[in-house]
């Protein structure tokens, strides 16, 4: 019979590896030095530390002249938040080659160039908010006058697109529609456009794909435009965009996929990479869990089973709110030591 002491104090094998250790604050003098410890802290801090190293590796290869196409995917709440400006900076500085987002990721970027969103609270009377015409995204308030102002720009823009399509003899793809929206911002808006993702994507010729472009205020405005004019000619083509997106992946020597959140942008990016045998680098930041089988919560290893991420790829998933960790990740990669 095994003695209780032998059960509790069972002998173990020696384990080699990185000791778990956090910063001793008397010995560090900057946030950068604190973050240098992240890989050794454990839990999600270690995952953030690994994400920093993966993205730094991508940046180093690009600096050496190696082709690594960076795909960035994000859901609309990322643009609702202050991460919008970080993404716009990345595009401006040439750190991103391809973007995939949702309809809100397009329209909210434009709207913020007209009027800001306002910091509110999580705990409010939402019925009263509705009476006041104030929409809520978590603890971010968006008064309805933003959408009223948005319509003033979008209706003339739709008229321009309709004329372009008549001249071309074919509809614009969603990515072309967004590119023209960037040109429109450049013409119509002042200095406030310079914090816009769409604007810098237009200036830097970075394609933005949005397969579900009607799933938001843009769709609402299209409805008003078509119903009020009885229009049946204005069409946005998504079929040819899938060819363009897939070919951007297929023709790349290497790819990196940085994805904030889940949903359609996540799948559009990794599915495009399926056609080349999977992405070479992947960084996921999400709060979604895998237990319901949704794509949003699927970890990178599940993508390996589909061939959307290479078996030998460098990948990591950070299970955290992107507003907490993405600024740290960008700063350490782009400005850190």
């Amino acid at each position: 019979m095994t003695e209780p002491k032998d059960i509790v104090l069972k002998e173990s094998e020696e384990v080699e590896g990185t000791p778990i250790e956090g910063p001793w604050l008397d010995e560090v003098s900057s946030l950068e030095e604190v973050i240098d410890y992240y890989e050794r802290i454990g839990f999600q801090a270690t995952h953030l530390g690994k994400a920093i190293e993966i993205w730094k590796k991508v940046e180093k290869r690009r600096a050496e002249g190696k082709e690594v196409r960076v795909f960035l995917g994000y859901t609309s709440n990322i643009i609702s938040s202050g991460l919008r400006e970080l993404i716009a900076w990345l595009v401006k500085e040439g750190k991103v080659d391809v973007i995939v987002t949702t309809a809100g990721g397009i329209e909210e970027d434009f709207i913020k160039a007209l009027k800001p969103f306002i910091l509110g609270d999580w705990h409010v009377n939402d019925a009263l908010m509705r009476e006041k015409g104030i929409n809520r995204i978590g603890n971010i308030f968006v008064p309805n006058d933003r959408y009223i102002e948005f319509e003033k720009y979008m209706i003339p823009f739709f008229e321009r697109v309709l004329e372009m399509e008549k001249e071309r003899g074919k509809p614009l793809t969603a990515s072309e529609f967004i590119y023209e929206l960037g040109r429109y911002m450049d013409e119509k808006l002042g200095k406030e456009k310079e914090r816009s993702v769409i604007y810098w994507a237009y200036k830097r010729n970075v394609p933005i794909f949005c397969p579900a472009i009607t799933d938001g205020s843009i769709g609402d405005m299209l409805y008003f435009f078509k119903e009020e004019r009885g229009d049946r000619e204005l069409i946005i083509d998504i079929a040819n965009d899938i060819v363009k997106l897939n070919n951007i992946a297929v023709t790349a020597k290497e790819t990196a996929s940085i994805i904030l959140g889940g949903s359609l942008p996540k799948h559009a990016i990794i599915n495009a990479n399926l056609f080349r045998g999977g992405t070479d680098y992947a960084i996921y930041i999400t709060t979604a869990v895998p237990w319901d089988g949704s794509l949003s919560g699927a970890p990178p290893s599940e993508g390996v089973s589909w061939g959307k991420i290479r078996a030998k790829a460098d990948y990591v998933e950070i299970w955290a709110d992107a507003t907490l960790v993405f600024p740290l990740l960008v700063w350490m990669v782009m400005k850190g030591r």
Side-chain angles (χ1 to χ4, degrees):
M1 177 179 175
T2 306
E3 294 296 320
K5 184 175 181 179
D6 294 330
I7 295 172
V8 174
L9 301 180
K10 179 180 173 61
E11 290 189 9
S12 62
E13 297 180 7
E14 190 63 32
V15 178
E16 299 294 332
T18 302
I20 295 297
E21 179 188 20
W24 187 259
L25 293 187
D26 293 337
E27 298 173 357
V28 297
S29 57
S30 70
L31 177 61
E32 287 183 18
E33 290 181 275
V34 171
I35 295 175
D36 281 341
Y37 278 88
Y38 267 48
E39 282 193 284
R40 289 173 275 166
I41 289 175
F43 304 141
Q44 296 305 305
T46 293
H47 287 211
L48 176 55
K50 185 175 181 182
I52 292 168
E53 291 308 310
I54 290 172
W55 201 346
K56 278 185 175 180
K57 183 186 294 185
V58 169
E59 279 293 295
K60 181 180 179 183
R61 289 184 65 75
R62 285 161 65 95
E64 293 170 346
K66 306 289 196 306
E67 185 196 49
V68 186
R69 287 186 186 161
V70 176
F71 290 71
L72 177 63
Y74 51 87
T75 43
S76 65
N77 57 324
I78 300 301
I79 297 298
S80 308
S81 76
L83 296 186
R84 170 200 185 230
E85 285 70 25
L86 272 178
I87 293 170
W89 183 89
L90 289 169
V91 177
K92 173 179 176 288
E93 296 299 317
K95 305 300 184 181
V96 174
D97 301 303
V98 188
I99 291 174
V100 183
T101 188
T102 55
I106 304 301
E107 62 211 20
E108 291 184 16
D109 180 65
F110 191 105
I111 292 168
K112 279 188 166 185
L114 304 176
K115 287 187 175 183
F117 291 5
I118 304 300
L119 182 63
D121 201 313
W122 293 94
H123 306 289
V124 295
N125 183 330
D126 287 297
L128 182 59
M129 294 274 285
R130 178 59 183 165
E131 289 180 14
K132 293 182 176 182
I134 302 172
N135 308 287
R136 181 169 70 87
I137 305 169
N139 63 345
I140 297 171
F141 290 175
V142 189
N144 231 32
D145 67 343
R146 272 64 172 171
Y147 294 98
I148 294 169
E149 190 70 12
F150 183 53
E151 185 193 26
K152 293 177 184 177
Y153 283 87
M154 289 308 291
I155 299 304
F157 177 67
F158 290 150
E159 290 169 348
R160 174 187 289 197
V161 169
L162 186 54
E163 288 305 310
M164 289 179 63
E165 293 186 342
K166 287 178 179 177
E167 290 176 9
R168 287 168 33 127
K170 62 179 181 179
L172 271 64
T173 64
S175 63
E176 290 170 336
F177 177 93
I178 296 164
Y179 177 84
E180 291 300 330
L181 191 57
R183 188 199 305 274
Y184 187 64
M185 291 180 77
D186 194 20
E187 294 173 7
K188 301 295 182 182
L189 304 184
K191 191 171 178 60
E192 61 275 10
K193 70 193 174 193
E194 294 181 9
R195 298 296 176 91
S196 161
V197 179
I198 299 169
Y199 169 76
W200 283 113
Y202 161 70
K203 298 291 282 187
R204 298 291 186 251
N205 202 27
V206 173
I208 300 179
F209 294 92
C210 185
I213 196 164
T214 60
D215 186 30
S217 184
I218 289 174
D220 298 343
M221 302 308 161
L222 276 169
Y223 171 76
F224 297 145
F225 180 84
K226 284 181 162 291
E227 281 296 291
E228 289 170 8
R229 288 162 173 73
D231 170 70
R232 295 296 179 268
E233 295 181 314
L234 176 57
I235 297 171
I236 301 174
D237 173 15
I238 61 170
N240 283 307
D241 257 358
I242 195 65
V243 177
K244 182 179 178 182
L245 176 60
N246 289 352
N247 281 338
I248 290 173
V250 168
T251 57
K253 291 183 178 172
E254 288 189 303
T255 66
S257 302
I258 302 168
I259 300 168
L260 314 181
S263 184
L264 185 152
K266 177 181 178 181
H267 187 255
I269 288 174
I270 61 174
N271 195 69
N273 276 275
L274 168 64
F275 291 89
R276 63 179 302 278
T279 191
D280 300 282
Y281 307 91
I283 298 171
Y284 290 178
I285 303 177
T286 185
T287 55
V289 297
W291 318 121
D292 61 358
S294 72
L295 187 280
S296 292
S301 58
E302 187 174 309
V304 172
S305 78
W306 288 87
K308 297 170 184 177
I309 296 177
R310 291 188 188 276
K312 294 183 179 180
D314 279 349
Y315 60 77
V316 67
E317 178 178 54
I318 307 168
W319 199 77
D321 179 350
T323 60
L324 293 173
V325 300
F326 193 61
L328 294 175
L329 175 58
V330 172
W331 173 263
M332 288 302 294
V333 174
M334 304 300 166
K335 298 289 188 176
R337 295 175 301 180

